[in-house]
Amino acid sequence: MSNPAVLEGVLERITYANEENGYTVARVDTGRGAGDLLTVVGSLLGAQVGESLRMEGRWGSHPQYGKQFTVENYTTVLPATVQGIRRYLGSGLIKGIGPKIAERIVDHFGVDTLDVIEQEPKRLIEVPGLGPKRTKLIGAAWEEQKAIKEVMVFLQGVGVSTSIAVRIYKKYEDASISVVRNQPYRLAADVWGIGFLTADRIAQAVGIPHDSPERVKAGLQYALSQSTDQGHCFLPEEKLIADAVKLLQVDTGLVIDCLGELAADPEGVVRETVPAPDGGEPLTAVFLVPFHRAELSLSAQVQRLLRAADDRLPAFRDVDWEKALAWLARRTGAELAPEQEAAVRLALTSRVAVLTGGPGCGKSFTVRSVVELARAKRAKVVLAAPTGRAAKRLSELTGAEASTVHRLLELKPGGDAAYDRDRPLDADLVVVDEASMLDLLLANKLVKAVAPGAHLLLVGDVDQLPSVGAGEVLRDLLAEGGPVPSVRLTRIFRQAQQSGVVTNAHRINSGAPPITKGLTDFFFFAEEETEDAGRLTVDVAARRIPAKFGLDPRRDIQVLAPMHRGPAGAGTLNGLLQQAITPARPDVAEKRFGGRIFRVGDKVTQIRNNYEKGANGVFNGTVGVVTSLLPDDQRLTVLTDEDEEIPYDFDELDELAHAYAVTIHRSQGSEYPAVVIPVTTGAWMMLQRNLLYTAVTRAKKLVVLVGSRKAIGQAVRTVSAGRRFTALDHRLAGG
């Protein structure tokens, strides 16, 4: 590397940006003319296209890209020429100014433009076509931009990426610098996208000691919240202490002392003795407060419903079942099998009941029968499911309106529900489909809202993957010795036996490899190398299936990958599928954000619960299509599966990911006409039976597996060893 040097230039475009560490590859125009652009690499956090930069760094050369400049730090220089100002303002940096308006403003004020916006923004009204409303907006956006810049410069000094800096600013505004300097660990709790590790890096930069109790307590809470992300409701104390020592690199004694302090704090953590999952010695469980509260509450609410003196379906206590079932058979044109009949009677006579079973065993028909009979007795029936797609399907099946659980409860910003114990749902029977997806927190909110005397029927397939959120509610409700009655449907109906999808789902679930020859709806393409399997998956989903079966690659076909990373992971496949299905075209608007490009027509998914968006929030896993993209307003719009138009500001795009390929975990509760599943040895650690079973059961008509037989064998053989740490089954059994 050569000596330190200074380079000035206008940022023309960002070709690559890593959101996490801010490493950026960009092209700058140094004003040498002839459209000659130079490559610069390094941290350019916060720099916007169109800005003039003064960069300090070193010259070097790259074997492939030739001469380039490595940036060590930079400052923004406001452009001084008319052309520079026009470019700067037209870059979409300031809300309300796009290229056309920038042109008009600069034509009017020339070199003084930036001074006018800075000192006398009211004068913008002199510009033809700029009304008072837009003038005001531009003035405010400029001020905000300035304030954010200040915060950015400070945060850059402590190594924080742009998108996170913007979010910190939005959360604390003028207090940003003070919070970052004095309470950096607050960021991990308050700001989405900042985990303990980022907060810890900031804390180090602002000089908080490595062994400060504040750091250790934040680390313990982080280790617990990480475990809830993996599905656990608590961690055994020894495991938590070991995890924290490893994470924090501090003394075990210090961790034990800080854990004691947290346990003494009502908002800290809860310690409780619970039975060991394997029946060994009882263990000390450590819970984050909300999860402990939710377990106690859910268990108590289930017991309360079971014991209710009132019955809002009294007609079924002494009904003539033969007569009722004969009426039902005439109405639906089909008889119930004995186990289905048992399930119908249970749902209508027991206050809480669970119906479980695999595909093709008639869960849907049983639910329809329960709803028909309840309606015949004029009962108020409410139907819900955890996802928009599952709710749509439930509605088609029963001919009645169904909604997502979130909409049913009318969740408010912050996650509180409009319906709860004090204001229960007006329903005699509440039916929830796809109940394997209910995590502890949502199940608790739901059960709280069921009125005493009403009946609750939970329907789901307990052999699928458990919920994305913490807990294993369906499995805990079905646990032996528990108070909740249940029926498991096991008989596969004749028409379902004809389906390769259903047959293979049951084979996988029982530990037998799927049949991959001679079926019209289940195929296997062998490809040993993970990278080749990834490419073939894209070809199958984007070209082969549409050509052979006439299915739409965007609407009807879903790629489901065992993991996000790797050459056959959802991340890489999304990039390749986007190129194949929604390629760049001159007439299609697009927006680059970090390492991703969003285009009109893109299939996208929301990746966090956001209670502030839409009518009742937009939730992790909601899928939609980008319908418009407006650079001037810095906004794109997504039409979701639930037919709701949701606007996203450009600085919120880290809440969206492409959804041409999703992980199998994220596909729970959704159904697709066709699924393509790469099963490769590259995903070895993830391969287990309930994962493959969940993926196959997402398909209505067609499954294509791509990859290696060895990997499929591994998935079929491996029964998920790790039960999640939950104590709900113990509480339900009267613990």
Side-chain angles (χ1 to χ4, degrees), residues 9-73:
V10 175
L11 186 57
E12 280 288 332
R13 64 169 180 269
I14 292 175
T15 40
Y16 168 79
N18 179 325
E19 280 301 308
E20 267 142 50
N21 60 18
Y23 179 78
T24 307
V25 179
R27 306 276 282 159
V28 297
D29 180 353
T30 54
R32 286 179 309 195
D36 207 4
L37 298 185
L38 187 81
T39 300
V40 298
V41 299
S43 178
L44 282 173
L45 289 177
Q48 302 273 0
V49 170
E51 286 187 317
S52 299
L53 307 180
R54 185 172 190 277
M55 295 161 282
E56 294 170 19
R58 296 169 189 277
W59 288 102
S61 75
H62 184 282
Q64 202 177 336
Y65 305 111
K67 189 174 175 184
Q68 61 180 33
F69 189 79
T70 301
V71 181
E72 278 150 22
N73 56 50

Side-chain angles (χ1 to χ4, degrees), residues 67-89:
K67 189 174 175 184
Q68 61 180 33
F69 189 79
T70 301
V71 181
E72 278 150 22
N73 56 50
Y74 79 91
T75 47
T76 309
V77 190
L78 287 177
T81 65
V82 167
Q83 183 206 0
I85 293 170
R86 187 180 296 131
R87 291 281 319 287
Y88 176 67
L89 283 181

Side-chain angles (χ1 to χ4, degrees), residues 270-305:
V270 179
R271 280 200 280 211
E272 184 187 359
T273 307
V274 302
D278 53 7
E281 287 293 299
L283 49 87
T284 302
V286 185
F287 290 83
L288 287 171
V289 173
F291 294 91
H292 186 256
R293 277 191 200 138
E295 268 199 4
L296 287 176
S297 162
L298 178 55
S299 164
Q301 305 295 342
V302 168
Q303 311 269 12
R304 176 180 70 107
L305 291 178

Side-chain angles (χ1 to χ4, degrees), residues 534-556:
R535 278 196 290 270
L536 181 55
T537 299
V538 171
D539 194 44
V540 166
R543 300 187 190 87
R544 297 191 194 191
I545 294 177
K548 186 172 161 78
F549 295 94
L551 294 173
D552 178 321
R554 200 178 278 117
R555 198 183 52 237
D556 304 328

Side-chain angles (χ1 to χ4, degrees), residues 244-487:
V245 168
K246 197 170 147 193
L247 169 76
L248 298 163
Q249 302 284 309
V250 293
D251 199 46
T252 306
L254 178 61
V255 171
I256 291 170
D257 291 346
C258 289
L259 182 56
E261 282 179 41
L262 273 175
D265 174 355
E267 293 300 307
V269 299
V270 179
R271 280 200 280 211
E272 184 187 359
T273 307
V274 302
D278 53 7
E281 287 293 299
L283 49 87
T284 302
V286 185
F287 290 83
L288 287 171
V289 173
F291 294 91
H292 186 256
R293 277 191 200 138
E295 268 199 4
L296 287 176
S297 162
L298 178 55
S299 164
Q301 305 295 342
V302 168
Q303 311 269 12
R304 176 180 70 107
L305 291 178
L306 285 165
R307 292 197 204 105
D310 199 21
D311 188 353
R312 291 183 62 162
L313 293 178
F316 294 100
R317 276 205 298 263
D318 41 21
V319 73
D320 178 339
W321 280 103
E322 256 181 50
K323 221 165 116 185
L325 293 167
W327 172 86
L328 183 69
R330 285 197 301 279
R331 181 156 173 99
T332 59
E335 301 250 333
L336 288 168
E339 51 182 23
Q340 291 179 307
E341 193 180 305
V344 169
R345 291 173 69 152
L346 182 67
L348 295 169
T349 55
S350 171
R351 309 288 197 287
V352 183
V354 175
L355 169 62
T356 187
C361 296
K363 280 200 305 288
S364 299
F365 185 61
T366 307
V367 171
R368 189 180 146 199
S369 304
V370 169
V371 173
E372 292 277 2
L373 281 170
R375 280 227 204 93
K377 296 291 186 192
R378 307 247 174 319
K380 282 188 175 145
V381 182
V382 162
L383 304 169
T387 64
R389 282 188 175 219
K392 255 187 189 164
R393 194 175 64 230
L394 185 58
S395 178
E396 284 158 12
L397 168 80
T398 53
E401 200 182 320
S403 71
T404 62
V405 177
H406 299 101
R407 276 174 196 268
L408 174 68
L409 300 176
E410 291 178 18
L411 286 189
K412 300 267 187 288
D416 291 325
Y419 292 95
D420 56 21
R421 199 170 167 170
D422 302 325
R423 186 193 172 197
L425 295 162
D426 181 18
D428 306 316
L429 169 66
V430 178
V431 180
V432 182
D433 198 7
E434 292 288 354
S436 61
M437 292 183 70
L438 286 176
D439 61 54
L440 173 66
L441 300 181
L442 187 59
N444 178 40
K445 290 188 172 108
L446 171 72
V447 176
K448 251 192 221 170
V450 178
H455 290 224
L456 172 65
L457 173 63
L458 296 171
V459 185
D461 183 347
V462 75
D463 293 320
Q464 284 183 35
L465 288 168
S467 55
V468 174
E472 280 197 272
V473 174
L474 190 62
R475 184 169 289 175
D476 287 342
L477 289 169
L478 286 165
E480 265 176 63
V484 179
S486 62
V487 170

Side-chain angles (χ1 to χ4, degrees), residues 89-103 105 117 124 134 137-138 142 631-634:
L89 283 181
S91 66
L93 177 76
I94 288 152
K95 229 185 193 154
I97 304 188
K100 288 199 185 74
I101 290 189
E103 190 94 16
I105 297 174
I117 297 177
L124 288 168
R134 182 157 272 190
L137 178 78
I138 292 170
W142 180 266
D632 282 15
D633 297 338
Q634 299 193 32

Side-chain angles (χ1 to χ4, degrees), residues 91-293:
S91 66
L93 177 76
I94 288 152
K95 229 185 193 154
I97 304 188
K100 288 199 185 74
I101 290 189
E103 190 94 16
R104 272 191 235 153
I105 297 174
V106 179
D107 283 351
H108 190 82
F109 295 113
V111 189
D112 302 332
T113 298
L114 298 180
D115 294 337
V116 171
I117 297 177
E118 167 88 36
Q119 274 133 25
E120 309 172 80
K122 289 194 174 71
R123 282 191 60 201
L124 288 168
I125 202 140
E126 300 169 15
V127 177
L130 277 196
K133 201 166 142 200
R134 182 157 272 190
T135 301
K136 208 166 152 192
L137 178 78
I138 292 170
W142 180 266
E143 282 306 309
E144 185 183 28
Q145 186 59 36
K146 245 179 31 192
I148 290 180
K149 267 279 186 286
E150 251 174 75
V151 174
M152 287 273 193
V153 168
F154 172 72
L155 290 172
Q156 229 175 325
V158 295
V160 179
S161 82
T162 328
S163 59
I164 286 181
V166 170
R167 231 182 279 130
I168 290 174
Y169 179 78
K170 280 196 162 167
K171 178 84 188 164
Y172 307 112
E173 295 185 337
D174 297 343
S176 299
I177 290 174
S178 142
V179 171
V180 170
R181 194 173 272 142
N182 303 314
Q183 304 166 280
Y185 291 107
R186 256 182 76 184
L187 302 173
D190 291 353
V191 182
W192 181 71
I194 296 190
F196 172 79
L197 300 175
T198 306
D200 200 33
R201 229 178 38 231
I202 295 170
Q204 204 182 343
V206 296
I208 288 176
H210 188 68
D211 57 359
S212 86
E214 188 193 353
R215 174 174 186 264
V216 177
K217 285 190 218 170
L220 280 160
Q221 284 176 305
Y222 170 70
L224 277 176
S225 78
Q226 282 291 91
S227 75
T228 64
D229 288 348
Q230 269 132 35
H232 300 298
C233 299
F234 67 81
L235 277 182
E237 187 174 42
E238 278 112 49
K239 180 164 170 39
L240 172 61
I241 291 168
D243 286 357
V245 168
K246 197 170 147 193
L247 169 76
L248 298 163
Q249 302 284 309
V250 293
D251 199 46
T252 306
L254 178 61
V255 171
I256 291 170
D257 291 346
C258 289
L259 182 56
E261 282 179 41
L262 273 175
D265 174 355
E267 293 300 307
V269 299
V270 179
R271 280 200 280 211
E272 184 187 359
T273 307
V274 302
D278 53 7
E281 287 293 299
L283 49 87
T284 302
V286 185
F287 290 83
L288 287 171
V289 173
F291 294 91
H292 186 256
R293 277 191 200 138

